[in-house]
Amino acid sequence: MANSPWAEIREKFQAALALSRVELHKNPEKEPYKSKYSARALLEEVRALLGPAPEDEEERAEAEDGSGAGDLALGVPAEVVEVEGPAAQAAVRLAVLEFHLGVNHIDTEELSAGEEHLVKCLRLLRRYRLSRGCVSLHIQAQNNLGILWSEREEIETAQAYLESSEALYNQYMKEVGSPPLDPVEHFLPEEEKLAEQERSKRFEKVYTHNLYYLAQVYQHMEMFEKAARYCHSTLKRQLEHNAYHPIEWAVNAATLSQFYINKLCFMEARHCLSAANVIFGQTGKILTTEDSTETEGDVPELYHQRKGEIARCWIKYCLTLMQNAQLAMQDNIGELDLDKQYELRALRKKELDEEESVRKKAVQFGTGELCDAISAVEEKVRYLRPLDFEEARELFLLGQQYVFEAKEFFQIDGYVTDHIEVVQDHSSLFKVLAFFETDMERRCKMHKRRIAMLEPLIVDLNPQYYLLVNRQIQFEIAHAYYDMMDLKVAIADKMRDPDSHIVKKINSLNKSALKYYQLFLDSLRDPNKVFPEHLGEDVLRPAMLAKFRVARLYGKIITADPKKELENLATSLEHYKFIVDYCEKYPEAAQEIEVELELSKEMVSLLPTKMERFRTKMALT
């Protein structure tokens, strides 16, 4: 190295790093990688100035690798070997160049060449990978290979590289512990070397990236528990080291909440969502600070989109918590079971007593003021299942607030599917709130609100392009009318002498429910309008439920015309019989509608006798 123009090498290397950091959009439109190619040329010049790896280092690397580049052992080393002597230092500097060349080629979408350079980097470092001078570089090279193999969808290979990085970090922290050198320091004079604190910060950031990539790999491999654990650790570390982008962090935390919601871990889900709100709030401050004259319309679209996405995660939290409570308290016909409600009230004290110990076990985000800010948001939101109307209403109003927030961005023009899903969630919030309501008239009004928000969607949607969504909405509207009719019948049953107005209302609701169930069933027909002989798994249960409810609806029509009533009973029998016959032909379908099948068999047995008595009565009169 004494004969090498060391100052020129350092200068070219720093220039290459500066060019590597230039954002693509700052390059000419027709040459998006211009700065990358310029950086590559400088890196190759530096490599030429350094010369080839010393022969003894090259031979040792080849010997330790066995068969070479394609067979790198990924295990942790048995001992720490420090970088000592000119030959070792030259090998490490070449490894730094190979690393940057590898990343450069990956950035320009030349993956095979990128892989080759990164593998050379690992080969040169292999002997020293647990040393202070090389551990960070080795982990970064493996992280990049992990990403590369992940992009090739070779997930197990990616997993091997990333888990090797994690193991190396843990071994280094256990056996050495002091902050290692950052790779750039191999091209810095002694007086410009980084302080220990900066080294530690950079090394911890490298490890955080490693955990982040592992979380994605585990998610891809459907190892969801592990993916969530690594994602949680990543987010926690990003806050600890103040190394995060507020919007990205908040969306990742809100997304993680969905895992906890699916696991019914509502305390953890609430914590993730509360943290997302607090951190996302920092974005608003940043936008205001950067340009206080900026109007609402100038705020980046991405900000509003991410805000809407976080709002949708909150909606799912409120809805799932309410639905979970409903499942725990309903009887076999879907009504509130007072005994179950009483039992859950008795369990509430135990749940509250366990809260503190559960909280301590959970991974908490932030410390100091940030922790206090997150707790302040959490305290306004319940995580225990609501046990009465007032508790459910509290969650409903929170969910509805986020529905309005989500709809600000996800509008029908431009975001059709997202908008519809938000409206369907809003409808579901009303539906589950109605379960907790004891006043039948108020329950009717809630179902009416559902219909009012869902019916306009049918008008706006082209069934040719949105067939599945159309079916979902048709079925949901039909069910809302069906529930309203049941409630009106129950109200009428309590009256001594129901007036013509309520009879007319019952029949009107019945007719509307029949209309939408029939629209749903007709959507299953082929182009020749023939109903399928065999129903697919995805539509089997809803189709059978529709048939069952249509049968029941015809039996509930109130009419003074005996002939019309007999026709209605015949139509009802026809639909009940369809269910029984279908399950006899396809026995596997029976398990999808066990309750409805038993009732259908019963009605197929009873209705002919009832109809015969009716005919006899008609003949006599």
Side-chain angles (χ1 to χ4, degrees), residues 29-51:
E29 192 175 336
K30 292 184 179 179
E31 297 178 275
Y33 297 131
K34 184 179 180 181
S35 58
K36 300 288 183 189
Y37 293 143
S38 299
R40 183 186 302 178
L42 285 171
L43 289 170
E44 285 170 347
E45 284 180 34
V46 172
R47 187 171 62 175
L49 287 168
L50 284 175

PDB file of all heavy atoms in Angstrom, residues 29-51:
ATOM      1  N   GLU A  29     -34.017  11.512 -17.406  1.00  0.00           N
ATOM      2  CA  GLU A  29     -35.132  10.567 -17.571  1.00  0.00           C
ATOM      3  C   GLU A  29     -34.735   9.346 -18.393  1.00  0.00           C
ATOM      4  O   GLU A  29     -35.151   8.220 -18.095  1.00  0.00           O
ATOM      5  CB  GLU A  29     -36.302  11.290 -18.237  1.00  0.00           C
ATOM      6  CG  GLU A  29     -37.594  10.487 -18.197  1.00  0.00           C
ATOM      7  CD  GLU A  29     -38.771  11.251 -18.755  1.00  0.00           C
ATOM      8  OE1 GLU A  29     -38.733  12.504 -18.748  1.00  0.00           O
ATOM      9  OE2 GLU A  29     -39.722  10.595 -19.211  1.00  0.00           O
ATOM     10  N   LYS A  30     -33.916   9.565 -19.439  1.00  0.00           N
ATOM     11  CA  LYS A  30     -33.512   8.451 -20.304  1.00  0.00           C
ATOM     12  C   LYS A  30     -32.306   7.684 -19.749  1.00  0.00           C
ATOM     13  O   LYS A  30     -31.926   6.651 -20.305  1.00  0.00           O
ATOM     14  CB  LYS A  30     -33.213   8.972 -21.714  1.00  0.00           C
ATOM     15  CG  LYS A  30     -34.460   9.473 -22.445  1.00  0.00           C
ATOM     16  CD  LYS A  30     -34.142   9.899 -23.861  1.00  0.00           C
ATOM     17  CE  LYS A  30     -35.388  10.371 -24.584  1.00  0.00           C
ATOM     18  NZ  LYS A  30     -35.109  10.820 -25.967  1.00  0.00           N
ATOM     19  N   GLU A  31     -31.697   8.211 -18.697  1.00  0.00           N
ATOM     20  CA  GLU A  31     -30.550   7.535 -18.075  1.00  0.00           C
ATOM     21  C   GLU A  31     -30.748   7.474 -16.560  1.00  0.00           C
ATOM     22  O   GLU A  31     -30.030   8.114 -15.790  1.00  0.00           O
ATOM     23  CB  GLU A  31     -29.253   8.281 -18.388  1.00  0.00           C
ATOM     24  CG  GLU A  31     -28.880   8.337 -19.856  1.00  0.00           C
ATOM     25  CD  GLU A  31     -27.610   9.142 -20.088  1.00  0.00           C
ATOM     26  OE1 GLU A  31     -27.697  10.384 -20.198  1.00  0.00           O
ATOM     27  OE2 GLU A  31     -26.531   8.513 -20.120  1.00  0.00           O
ATOM     28  N   PRO A  32     -31.738   6.691 -16.113  1.00  0.00           N
ATOM     29  CA  PRO A  32     -32.067   6.681 -14.679  1.00  0.00           C
ATOM     30  C   PRO A  32     -30.941   6.173 -13.782  1.00  0.00           C
ATOM     31  O   PRO A  32     -30.893   6.493 -12.601  1.00  0.00           O
ATOM     32  CB  PRO A  32     -33.285   5.756 -14.610  1.00  0.00           C
ATOM     33  CG  PRO A  32     -33.193   4.908 -15.840  1.00  0.00           C
ATOM     34  CD  PRO A  32     -32.590   5.772 -16.883  1.00  0.00           C
ATOM     35  N   TYR A  33     -30.026   5.374 -14.367  1.00  0.00           N
ATOM     36  CA  TYR A  33     -28.928   4.805 -13.572  1.00  0.00           C
ATOM     37  C   TYR A  33     -27.590   5.503 -13.834  1.00  0.00           C
ATOM     38  O   TYR A  33     -26.537   4.968 -13.518  1.00  0.00           O
ATOM     39  CB  TYR A  33     -28.780   3.308 -13.861  1.00  0.00           C
ATOM     40  CG  TYR A  33     -29.993   2.491 -13.476  1.00  0.00           C
ATOM     41  CD1 TYR A  33     -30.547   1.571 -14.380  1.00  0.00           C
ATOM     42  CD2 TYR A  33     -30.591   2.627 -12.235  1.00  0.00           C
ATOM     43  CE1 TYR A  33     -31.658   0.817 -14.030  1.00  0.00           C
ATOM     44  CE2 TYR A  33     -31.701   1.880 -11.871  1.00  0.00           C
ATOM     45  CZ  TYR A  33     -32.231   0.974 -12.777  1.00  0.00           C
ATOM     46  OH  TYR A  33     -33.328   0.226 -12.427  1.00  0.00           O
ATOM     47  N   LYS A  34     -27.653   6.697 -14.377  1.00  0.00           N
ATOM     48  CA  LYS A  34     -26.411   7.387 -14.743  1.00  0.00           C
ATOM     49  C   LYS A  34     -25.472   7.528 -13.548  1.00  0.00           C
ATOM     50  O   LYS A  34     -24.281   7.220 -13.628  1.00  0.00           O
ATOM     51  CB  LYS A  34     -26.729   8.770 -15.316  1.00  0.00           C
ATOM     52  CG  LYS A  34     -25.492   9.510 -15.822  1.00  0.00           C
ATOM     53  CD  LYS A  34     -25.845  10.866 -16.415  1.00  0.00           C
ATOM     54  CE  LYS A  34     -24.579  11.573 -16.899  1.00  0.00           C
ATOM     55  NZ  LYS A  34     -24.883  12.901 -17.460  1.00  0.00           N
ATOM     56  N   SER A  35     -25.998   7.977 -12.410  1.00  0.00           N
ATOM     57  CA  SER A  35     -25.153   8.164 -11.223  1.00  0.00           C
ATOM     58  C   SER A  35     -24.626   6.828 -10.705  1.00  0.00           C
ATOM     59  O   SER A  35     -23.491   6.740 -10.221  1.00  0.00           O
ATOM     60  CB  SER A  35     -25.929   8.887 -10.128  1.00  0.00           C
ATOM     61  OG  SER A  35     -27.104   8.170  -9.787  1.00  0.00           O
ATOM     62  N   LYS A  36     -25.432   5.769 -10.820  1.00  0.00           N
ATOM     63  CA  LYS A  36     -24.995   4.434 -10.374  1.00  0.00           C
ATOM     64  C   LYS A  36     -23.828   3.935 -11.237  1.00  0.00           C
ATOM     65  O   LYS A  36     -22.856   3.373 -10.708  1.00  0.00           O
ATOM     66  CB  LYS A  36     -26.159   3.436 -10.467  1.00  0.00           C
ATOM     67  CG  LYS A  36     -27.366   3.782  -9.624  1.00  0.00           C
ATOM     68  CD  LYS A  36     -27.130   3.585  -8.149  1.00  0.00           C
ATOM     69  CE  LYS A  36     -28.399   3.873  -7.348  1.00  0.00           C
ATOM     70  NZ  LYS A  36     -28.133   3.904  -5.900  1.00  0.00           N
ATOM     71  N   TYR A  37     -23.958   4.130 -12.541  1.00  0.00           N
ATOM     72  CA  TYR A  37     -22.879   3.688 -13.433  1.00  0.00           C
ATOM     73  C   TYR A  37     -21.597   4.485 -13.189  1.00  0.00           C
ATOM     74  O   TYR A  37     -20.493   3.933 -13.247  1.00  0.00           O
ATOM     75  CB  TYR A  37     -23.318   3.819 -14.891  1.00  0.00           C
ATOM     76  CG  TYR A  37     -24.428   2.873 -15.293  1.00  0.00           C
ATOM     77  CD1 TYR A  37     -25.435   3.282 -16.182  1.00  0.00           C
ATOM     78  CD2 TYR A  37     -24.488   1.574 -14.797  1.00  0.00           C
ATOM     79  CE1 TYR A  37     -26.463   2.417 -16.562  1.00  0.00           C
ATOM     80  CE2 TYR A  37     -25.503   0.707 -15.162  1.00  0.00           C
ATOM     81  CZ  TYR A  37     -26.493   1.130 -16.035  1.00  0.00           C
ATOM     82  OH  TYR A  37     -27.505   0.276 -16.399  1.00  0.00           O
ATOM     83  N   SER A  38     -21.746   5.775 -12.893  1.00  0.00           N
ATOM     84  CA  SER A  38     -20.568   6.598 -12.591  1.00  0.00           C
ATOM     85  C   SER A  38     -19.911   6.127 -11.302  1.00  0.00           C
ATOM     86  O   SER A  38     -18.677   6.050 -11.201  1.00  0.00           O
ATOM     87  CB  SER A  38     -20.972   8.068 -12.466  1.00  0.00           C
ATOM     88  OG  SER A  38     -21.530   8.540 -13.671  1.00  0.00           O
ATOM     89  N   ALA A  39     -20.740   5.798 -10.305  1.00  0.00           N
ATOM     90  CA  ALA A  39     -20.222   5.285  -9.033  1.00  0.00           C
ATOM     91  C   ALA A  39     -19.486   3.969  -9.264  1.00  0.00           C
ATOM     92  O   ALA A  39     -18.409   3.733  -8.705  1.00  0.00           O
ATOM     93  CB  ALA A  39     -21.368   5.088  -8.049  1.00  0.00           C
ATOM     94  N   ARG A  40     -20.074   3.099 -10.104  1.00  0.00           N
ATOM     95  CA  ARG A  40     -19.460   1.800 -10.392  1.00  0.00           C
ATOM     96  C   ARG A  40     -18.073   1.981 -11.032  1.00  0.00           C
ATOM     97  O   ARG A  40     -17.118   1.278 -10.665  1.00  0.00           O
ATOM     98  CB  ARG A  40     -20.365   0.986 -11.321  1.00  0.00           C
ATOM     99  CG  ARG A  40     -19.838  -0.407 -11.618  1.00  0.00           C
ATOM    100  CD  ARG A  40     -20.685  -1.112 -12.663  1.00  0.00           C
ATOM    101  NE  ARG A  40     -22.079  -1.216 -12.255  1.00  0.00           N
ATOM    102  CZ  ARG A  40     -23.031  -1.756 -13.008  1.00  0.00           C
ATOM    103  NH1 ARG A  40     -22.729  -2.225 -14.226  1.00  0.00           N
ATOM    104  NH2 ARG A  40     -24.280  -1.816 -12.580  1.00  0.00           N
ATOM    105  N   ALA A  41     -17.981   2.919 -11.979  1.00  0.00           N
ATOM    106  CA  ALA A  41     -16.692   3.161 -12.654  1.00  0.00           C
ATOM    107  C   ALA A  41     -15.630   3.565 -11.644  1.00  0.00           C
ATOM    108  O   ALA A  41     -14.482   3.083 -11.696  1.00  0.00           O
ATOM    109  CB  ALA A  41     -16.867   4.240 -13.716  1.00  0.00           C
ATOM    110  N   LEU A  42     -16.009   4.426 -10.683  1.00  0.00           N
ATOM    111  CA  LEU A  42     -15.048   4.859  -9.659  1.00  0.00           C
ATOM    112  C   LEU A  42     -14.651   3.706  -8.741  1.00  0.00           C
ATOM    113  O   LEU A  42     -13.485   3.563  -8.375  1.00  0.00           O
ATOM    114  CB  LEU A  42     -15.655   6.002  -8.830  1.00  0.00           C
ATOM    115  CG  LEU A  42     -15.715   7.371  -9.528  1.00  0.00           C
ATOM    116  CD1 LEU A  42     -16.540   8.354  -8.693  1.00  0.00           C
ATOM    117  CD2 LEU A  42     -14.311   7.934  -9.751  1.00  0.00           C
ATOM    118  N   LEU A  43     -15.625   2.885  -8.376  1.00  0.00           N
ATOM    119  CA  LEU A  43     -15.319   1.726  -7.510  1.00  0.00           C
ATOM    120  C   LEU A  43     -14.358   0.770  -8.210  1.00  0.00           C
ATOM    121  O   LEU A  43     -13.440   0.215  -7.579  1.00  0.00           O
ATOM    122  CB  LEU A  43     -16.622   0.996  -7.137  1.00  0.00           C
ATOM    123  CG  LEU A  43     -17.555   1.720  -6.148  1.00  0.00           C
ATOM    124  CD1 LEU A  43     -18.904   1.002  -6.079  1.00  0.00           C
ATOM    125  CD2 LEU A  43     -16.942   1.803  -4.748  1.00  0.00           C
ATOM    126  N   GLU A  44     -14.558   0.578  -9.502  1.00  0.00           N
ATOM    127  CA  GLU A  44     -13.674  -0.313 -10.253  1.00  0.00           C
ATOM    128  C   GLU A  44     -12.274   0.287 -10.388  1.00  0.00           C
ATOM    129  O   GLU A  44     -11.265  -0.437 -10.366  1.00  0.00           O
ATOM    130  CB  GLU A  44     -14.282  -0.623 -11.619  1.00  0.00           C
ATOM    131  CG  GLU A  44     -15.454  -1.610 -11.507  1.00  0.00           C
ATOM    132  CD  GLU A  44     -16.250  -1.766 -12.786  1.00  0.00           C
ATOM    133  OE1 GLU A  44     -16.062  -0.928 -13.693  1.00  0.00           O
ATOM    134  OE2 GLU A  44     -17.063  -2.705 -12.876  1.00  0.00           O
ATOM    135  N   GLU A  45     -12.201   1.610 -10.498  1.00  0.00           N
ATOM    136  CA  GLU A  45     -10.889   2.278 -10.518  1.00  0.00           C
ATOM    137  C   GLU A  45     -10.169   2.064  -9.186  1.00  0.00           C
ATOM    138  O   GLU A  45      -8.965   1.794  -9.153  1.00  0.00           O
ATOM    139  CB  GLU A  45     -11.067   3.779 -10.775  1.00  0.00           C
ATOM    140  CG  GLU A  45     -11.379   4.122 -12.232  1.00  0.00           C
ATOM    141  CD  GLU A  45     -11.555   5.625 -12.430  1.00  0.00           C
ATOM    142  OE1 GLU A  45     -10.847   6.397 -11.721  1.00  0.00           O
ATOM    143  OE2 GLU A  45     -12.391   6.025 -13.267  1.00  0.00           O
ATOM    144  N   VAL A  46     -10.905   2.209  -8.098  1.00  0.00           N
ATOM    145  CA  VAL A  46     -10.308   2.006  -6.766  1.00  0.00           C
ATOM    146  C   VAL A  46      -9.819   0.572  -6.628  1.00  0.00           C
ATOM    147  O   VAL A  46      -8.721   0.320  -6.122  1.00  0.00           O
ATOM    148  CB  VAL A  46     -11.336   2.336  -5.646  1.00  0.00           C
ATOM    149  CG1 VAL A  46     -10.779   1.934  -4.280  1.00  0.00           C
ATOM    150  CG2 VAL A  46     -11.694   3.811  -5.659  1.00  0.00           C
ATOM    151  N   ARG A  47     -10.622  -0.373  -7.098  1.00  0.00           N
ATOM    152  CA  ARG A  47     -10.219  -1.780  -7.010  1.00  0.00           C
ATOM    153  C   ARG A  47      -8.936  -2.021  -7.809  1.00  0.00           C
ATOM    154  O   ARG A  47      -8.050  -2.759  -7.370  1.00  0.00           O
ATOM    155  CB  ARG A  47     -11.346  -2.683  -7.521  1.00  0.00           C
ATOM    156  CG  ARG A  47     -11.058  -4.169  -7.295  1.00  0.00           C
ATOM    157  CD  ARG A  47     -12.240  -5.042  -7.606  1.00  0.00           C
ATOM    158  NE  ARG A  47     -12.636  -4.932  -9.012  1.00  0.00           N
ATOM    159  CZ  ARG A  47     -13.594  -5.672  -9.567  1.00  0.00           C
ATOM    160  NH1 ARG A  47     -14.252  -6.552  -8.838  1.00  0.00           N
ATOM    161  NH2 ARG A  47     -13.896  -5.518 -10.837  1.00  0.00           N
ATOM    162  N   ALA A  48      -8.861  -1.398  -8.976  1.00  0.00           N
ATOM    163  CA  ALA A  48      -7.646  -1.539  -9.797  1.00  0.00           C
ATOM    164  C   ALA A  48      -6.441  -0.945  -9.092  1.00  0.00           C
ATOM    165  O   ALA A  48      -5.339  -1.520  -9.122  1.00  0.00           O
ATOM    166  CB  ALA A  48      -7.863  -0.869 -11.150  1.00  0.00           C
ATOM    167  N   LEU A  49      -6.638   0.198  -8.425  1.00  0.00           N
ATOM    168  CA  LEU A  49      -5.533   0.835  -7.700  1.00  0.00           C
ATOM    169  C   LEU A  49      -5.076  -0.016  -6.515  1.00  0.00           C
ATOM    170  O   LEU A  49      -3.891  -0.060  -6.176  1.00  0.00           O
ATOM    171  CB  LEU A  49      -5.956   2.227  -7.207  1.00  0.00           C
ATOM    172  CG  LEU A  49      -6.084   3.310  -8.284  1.00  0.00           C
ATOM    173  CD1 LEU A  49      -6.791   4.543  -7.730  1.00  0.00           C
ATOM    174  CD2 LEU A  49      -4.702   3.702  -8.831  1.00  0.00           C
ATOM    175  N   LEU A  50      -6.037  -0.698  -5.867  1.00  0.00           N
ATOM    176  CA  LEU A  50      -5.676  -1.552  -4.726  1.00  0.00           C
ATOM    177  C   LEU A  50      -4.948  -2.808  -5.182  1.00  0.00           C
ATOM    178  O   LEU A  50      -4.127  -3.367  -4.446  1.00  0.00           O
ATOM    179  CB  LEU A  50      -6.936  -1.963  -3.953  1.00  0.00           C
ATOM    180  CG  LEU A  50      -7.579  -0.899  -3.053  1.00  0.00           C
ATOM    181  CD1 LEU A  50      -8.878  -1.443  -2.462  1.00  0.00           C
ATOM    182  CD2 LEU A  50      -6.637  -0.478  -1.940  1.00  0.00           C
ATOM    183  N   GLY A  51      -5.244  -3.278  -6.365  1.00  0.00           N
ATOM    184  CA  GLY A  51      -4.622  -4.497  -6.870  1.00  0.00           C
ATOM    185  C   GLY A  51      -5.379  -5.725  -6.406  1.00  0.00           C
ATOM    186  O   GLY A  51      -6.331  -5.632  -5.630  1.00  0.00           O
TER     187      GLY A  51
END
